[in-house]
Amino acid sequence: AQSVTQPDIHITVSEGASLELRCNYSYGATPYLFWYVQSPGQGLQLLLKYFSGDTLVQGIKGFEAEFKRSQSSFNLRKPSVHWSDAAEYFCAVGPPGGGADGLTFGKGTHLIIQP
Amino acid sequence: DGGITQSPKYLFRKEGQNVTLSCEQNLNHDAMYWYRQDPGQGLRLIYYSQIVNDFQKGDIAEGYSVSREKKESFPLTVTSAQKNPTAFYLCASSIDARTPQETQYFGPGTRLLVL
């Protein structure tokens, strides 16, 4: 079965600094990978997704992610964070080989922005 | 505006009581999903539905039931058999469940508390 690991439960970054959130997956087929963001008490919003092609994916709000098959990783990056980026970030993997089994999520990384 | 609505925002359940969470979408999406979110656990799939009058169990279906009588509606019932129902419940939908790279759009969530 597929699984997603987000090694960092909490990350604290100063406003204006760069950010990298880690995501590793375990998968037996071509992965479909997603990053979502969740503000407190809210639903999830898609930041970006990868399913084929260019391994560097651009998303909304200035985020990007790079798929590295050799490392089984899909890390999320942002060159300069803003206080409004404070939120919970989830990496997710789509169902193997098609189908409709829903997404498998990591446990999330809580991002704290220091002034 | 198109989107997913969930109601109520907060729901209280007494011991031994069944409660139903509402999820409605006007995106004309075929697939709908229910996830449960616990602190530090990420999201886990409860049930999903690819099409009207059809639904499948997810990873943690025990103690829950669903129906899909209309394309736009996918209510979730938390039964008395669910011994630990306190959680944040998120409904999602996607255009076509058979295409794994399709984005899942999430509702704002319902927080269920046990009295």
Side-chain angles (χ1 to χ4, degrees), chain A residues 44-56:
Chain A
L44 276 66
Q45 181 183 23
L46 180 73
L47 288 175
L48 46 79
K49 63 183 179 182
Y50 169 81
F51 56 91
S52 67
D54 193 346
T55 56
L56 184 61

Side-chain angles (χ1 to χ4, degrees), chain A residues 37-45, chain B residues 9 37 88 90 106-109 111:
Chain A
V37 61
Q38 183 182 35
S39 297
Q42 301 297 317
L44 276 66
Q45 181 183 23
Chain B
K9 187 171 183 177
Q37 184 178 21
F88 191 50
L90 288 159
F106 284 80
R111 187 164 300 279

Side-chain angles (χ1 to χ4, degrees), chain A residues 32 34 36 38 41-44 46 49 51 88 90 94-95 97-108, chain B residues 9 33 35 37 40-43 45 48 50 88 90 97-109 111:
Chain A
Y32 302 99
F34 305 80
Y36 282 87
Q38 183 182 35
Q42 301 297 317
L44 276 66
L46 180 73
K49 63 183 179 182
F51 56 91
E88 191 84 18
F90 293 95
D101 295 344
L103 297 175
T104 298
F105 283 85
K107 294 187 177 181
Chain B
K9 187 171 183 177
Y33 310 82
Y35 292 90
Q37 184 178 21
Q41 293 295 317
L43 280 72
L45 183 66
Y48 62 94
Q50 298 184 43
F88 191 50
L90 288 159
R98 293 165 295 179
T99 309
Q101 63 266 35
E102 287 294 343
T103 298
Q104 289 191 16
Y105 296 87
F106 284 80
R111 187 164 300 279

Side-chain angles (χ1 to χ4, degrees), chain B residues 19-65:
Chain B
V19 293
T20 297
L21 285 62
S22 170
C23 177
E24 304 277 333
Q25 54 98 359
N26 60 4
L27 301 168
N28 199 33
H29 285 175
D30 284 331
M32 297 186 74
Y33 310 82
W34 274 106
Y35 292 90
R36 170 179 171 143
Q37 184 178 21
D38 296 281
Q41 293 295 317
L43 280 72
R44 292 178 290 169
L45 183 66
I46 305 173
Y47 268 97
Y48 62 94
S49 169
Q50 298 184 43
I51 196 169
V52 174
N53 292 323
D54 182 67
F55 48 83
Q56 305 296 327
K57 293 182 178 180
D59 299 322
I60 55 166
E62 185 175 352
Y64 300 96
S65 66

Side-chain angles (χ1 to χ4, degrees), chain A residues 29-107:
Chain A
T30 301
Y32 302 99
L33 296 158
F34 305 80
W35 273 101
Y36 282 87
V37 61
Q38 183 182 35
S39 297
Q42 301 297 317
L44 276 66
Q45 181 183 23
L46 180 73
L47 288 175
L48 46 79
K49 63 183 179 182
Y50 169 81
F51 56 91
S52 67
D54 193 346
T55 56
L56 184 61
V57 181
Q58 301 298 319
I60 63 171
K61 303 184 180 185
F63 286 93
E64 66 178 25
E66 186 171 13
F67 169 59
K68 293 185 177 179
R69 185 186 299 276
S70 62
Q71 298 177 20
S72 298
S73 69
F74 189 56
N75 294 348
L76 182 71
R77 301 194 295 248
K78 187 171 184 178
S80 177
V81 298
H82 186 261
W83 64 267
S84 60
D85 292 324
E88 191 84 18
Y89 290 80
F90 293 95
C91 182
V93 174
D101 295 344
L103 297 175
T104 298
F105 283 85
K107 294 187 177 181

Side-chain angles (χ1 to χ4, degrees), chain B residues 82-94:
Chain B
Q82 173 50 243
K83 298 307 179 187
N84 184 25
T86 297
F88 191 50
Y89 291 86
L90 288 159
C91 178
S93 71
S94 64

